[in-house]
Amino acid sequence: MEKAFMLISCEIGEEQTLYSQLKEIPEIKNCLITYGSYDIVAEFETENSGDMNQVITSKIRHLSNIRSTITLRAIN
């Protein structure tokens, strides 16, 4: 099992819209709107690293109104 956290900066005023879009992605287990340098923190899990790469590149980063992301892959 692969686990990661993504810190997301989005366009001003688009936090709620982006949050709603992220919650529709099955691999995202938790999603929070935050204040500070990043607007959203998303926690997600996949079965393997290939699936993890697919979620990052095809399901999350293609969403509109994302300015930047930082992905933190977790290990046990």
Side-chain angles (χ1 to χ4, degrees):
M1 183 70 68
E2 298 282 323
K3 185 174 190 171
F5 297 87
M6 184 176 282
L7 309 176
I8 303 169
S9 292
C10 65
E11 299 297 331
I12 295 171
E14 295 299 325
E15 298 86 358
Q16 192 63 49
T17 301
L18 185 56
Y19 172 86
S20 297
Q21 292 173 331
L22 290 166
K23 292 292 280 184
E24 294 178 14
I25 298 171
E27 292 85 358
I28 293 184
K29 304 304 178 195
N30 196 12
C31 193
L32 302 166
I33 295 175
T34 59
Y35 294 104
S37 297
Y38 299 97
D39 302 305
I40 296 175
V41 176
E43 175 185 357
F44 53 103
E45 293 179 350
T46 62
E47 290 295 319
N48 56 58
S49 62
D51 290 345
M52 177 70 67
N53 294 337
Q54 188 71 19
V55 169
I56 293 167
T57 59
S58 298
K59 293 187 178 183
I60 297 175
R61 286 189 179 161
H62 85 278
L63 295 173
S64 60
N65 299 316
I66 290 180
R67 290 190 306 177
S68 66
T69 63
I70 293 179
T71 304
L72 307 168
R73 291 178 100 153
I75 59 171
N76 289 334

